[in-house]
Amino acid sequence: MSSATTSIMMAGVGGQGIILASEVLCHALMHAGLDVKKSEVHGMAQRGGSVRTDVRFGDKIYAPLISAGAADILVAFEQLEALRYLHFLRPDGLVLVSAECIAPLTVLTGPHPYPESIPDRVAESGAAVQLVDAPAIAERAGNVRTAGIALMGALSNHIAVPAAAWRKAILSLVPERFRDVNLDAFRRGRRAKPRGLNAP
């Protein structure tokens, strides 16, 4: 990212580990010596509701919230959430979208189908899109619940933070018995080759 301040929005649904992933991101940024501000919105998160985290970082940050059209990167933990929050992305921004699809209550109980070809629809907006198969990466690491950390591995390729800072963040935030699998998920996510649509 070229601007002095970088804004990353993370969006998904309750239970996907978004809060832990955002904490790992913030701690890695702080270990790298950057000023960081974060905001969380997670109403009804325990029932599968939408969860959003704004993270802004740079030399000096005064406010955590990201305005519409101002996010440098949108990390969507669930595909429909990529569409829901796309308007926050700046015109030349990047969307990292997980391959995971979780049908909302309105789809489960109503006549509306889950939208098809969401990554392609996001790319039609002009945004650069990278589709990351985070659930498969997490499964190969040994725990499907590490998909959020696998996404952080993919994200790490787009921000200038040393790998050691990410490792330190994971070690400080993840319980000891889950550290190895999370570190493996992060490494696998970092090495993954996502499918690019309008990719830079």
Side-chain angles (χ1 to χ4, degrees):
M1 298 290 106
S2 58
S3 59
T5 298
T6 300
S7 299
I8 298 176
M9 180 173 288
M10 303 167 72
V13 300
Q16 289 193 289
I18 298 165
I19 302 303
L20 173 61
S22 67
E23 283 294 309
V24 167
L25 170 60
C26 290
H27 280 243
L29 294 166
M30 289 187 288
H31 290 316
L34 295 163
D35 190 30
V36 184
K37 295 286 186 297
K38 182 180 88 159
S39 174
E40 299 171 1
V41 178
H42 43 93
M44 302 294 283
Q46 296 300 318
R47 298 184 181 182
S50 185
V51 177
R52 167 187 153 192
T53 300
D54 293 8
V55 176
R56 302 183 73 233
F57 61 93
D59 294 333
K60 185 63 182 174
I61 304 299
Y62 295 97
L65 293 176
I66 300 172
S67 303
D72 297 290
I73 301 175
L74 169 62
V75 183
F77 286 56
E78 194 280 328
Q79 291 195 16
L80 198 53
E81 299 303 309
L83 279 179
R84 187 191 309 274
Y85 290 100
L86 185 59
H87 65 287
F88 280 96
L89 192 71
R90 72 183 200 191
D92 59 344
L94 169 67
V95 182
L96 291 178
V97 57
S98 172
E100 186 162 14
C101 299
I102 300 174
L105 195 59
T106 53
V107 170
L108 293 173
T109 61
H112 304 292
Y114 190 92
E116 295 181 357
S117 306
I118 289 178
D120 293 323
R121 292 173 62 178
V122 172
E124 287 171 4
S125 74
V129 178
Q130 291 191 351
L131 180 62
V132 182
D133 196 348
I137 294 169
E139 188 171 359
R140 287 194 291 273
N143 188 330
V144 294
R145 296 180 63 83
T146 61
I149 299 300
L151 275 175
M152 292 303 94
L155 174 65
S156 73
N157 293 313
H158 300 281
I159 55 178
V161 172
W166 287 98
R167 176 181 171 80
K168 190 173 180 181
I170 291 170
L171 291 176
S172 67
L173 292 167
V174 174
E176 185 173 358
R177 67 184 187 280
F178 297 121
R179 286 176 184 163
D180 287 345
V181 70
N182 277 275
L183 287 170
D184 191 31
F186 179 84
R187 283 190 294 263
R188 289 174 182 271
R190 190 176 173 95
R191 292 195 307 259
K193 300 191 183 311
R195 181 166 71 92
L197 298 89
N198 295 340

